Amino acid sequence: ANIRKHGKNCCSLIMKKSVISILITLFFFSNCAKEEENDPDMASVSLSDNATTFTVTVSSGKYHLDGSSNPSLKLKRGYVYYFDATDSSTSSHPLLLSTSSSGGNTSGEYTNGVTNSQTTNGTLTFQVPSDAPSTLYYVCAYHSGMGGEITISD
C-alpha cells in the first residue's frame, strides 16, 4: 500500500509539473501573439490582397494609408493595387513609387506597372510586375520623409 501511495504521489507531481509547463508555454506564446497584434510595425506588414485599394491622405507631413501614418506594405508580384489619392489633402503631394526612400524628388521613380504616377487628385494603379524589385517606397515628389516602405514578394 505504501508503494502505491508513493507511486501515486510521484505521478501526481509529474502531472502537476507538466500541466504547469504547458500553462506557462501557452501564456508566453499568447502574450507574444498579443504583442505582435498591437505592434504597429508588425501589423502594417501583412500581405495585402489582390485588388486592394489604399485610401491615401496627408496629415502632419506624412502620407496616411487607410488612416495609418506611413505604414509599411507587403505586396505580391502579379497582383494589382490601387492608391486612391483623391482626397483634397494630397493636392500638393504628388504620389509616386520609387527605388529611393527619401522622396522630395523623382530621380528614383519606378514606373514599371504603374499608371497615373505623381497623381495629386487621382488613383495610382500598381500592377506589380514579375521583375519588380523586392523593395520599393511610396513617396512624395515634392517633400522628403512622407512615405513608407513596400516589400514585394512572390
Side-chain angles (χ1 to χ4, degrees):
N2 198 15
I3 292 173
R4 280 190 200 154
K5 185 178 177 185
H6 227 29
K8 267 187 173 178
N9 285 342
C10 201
C11 284
S12 177
L13 182 60
I14 290 170
M15 286 191 60
K16 283 180 185 177
K17 285 184 176 181
S18 295
V19 169
I20 289 171
S21 292
I22 290 170
L23 290 175
I24 289 171
T25 302
L26 288 174
F27 177 78
F28 174 75
F29 284 112
S30 171
N31 280 343
C32 286
K34 285 180 186 173
E35 285 175 14
E36 287 183 7
E37 287 172 10
N38 295 325
D39 182 346
D41 290 331
M42 295 298 287
S44 65
V45 293
S46 61
L47 178 65
S48 297
D49 291 333
N50 192 23
T52 295
T53 297
F54 301 101
T55 300
V56 182
T57 57
V58 174
S59 179
S60 301
K62 303 286 183 194
Y63 278 120
H64 289 246
L65 275 57
D66 298 333
S68 295
S69 180
N70 58 357
S72 295
L73 302 177
K74 186 173 181 183
L75 307 183
K76 188 171 181 176
R77 289 181 180 89
Y79 281 17
V80 62
Y81 299 94
Y82 305 96
F83 294 81
D84 177 356
T86 56
D87 187 83
S88 62
S89 65
T90 65
S91 65
S92 60
H93 302 286
L95 176 66
L96 63 99
L97 302 183
S98 179
T99 55
S100 168
S101 63
S102 63
N105 61 64
T106 60
S107 62
E109 184 174 13
Y110 184 82
T111 58
N112 294 349
V114 178
T115 305
N116 206 17
S117 187
Q118 298 187 41
T119 187
T120 56
N121 63 355
T123 299
L124 181 150
T125 302
F126 185 32
Q127 175 72 51
V128 186
S130 60
D131 63 350
S134 59
T135 305
L136 286 172
Y137 304 89
Y138 59 93
V139 299
C140 175
Y142 295 161
H143 310 99
S144 61
M146 287 186 62
E149 183 176 69
I150 301 173
T151 301
I152 299 174
S153 63
D154 291 323

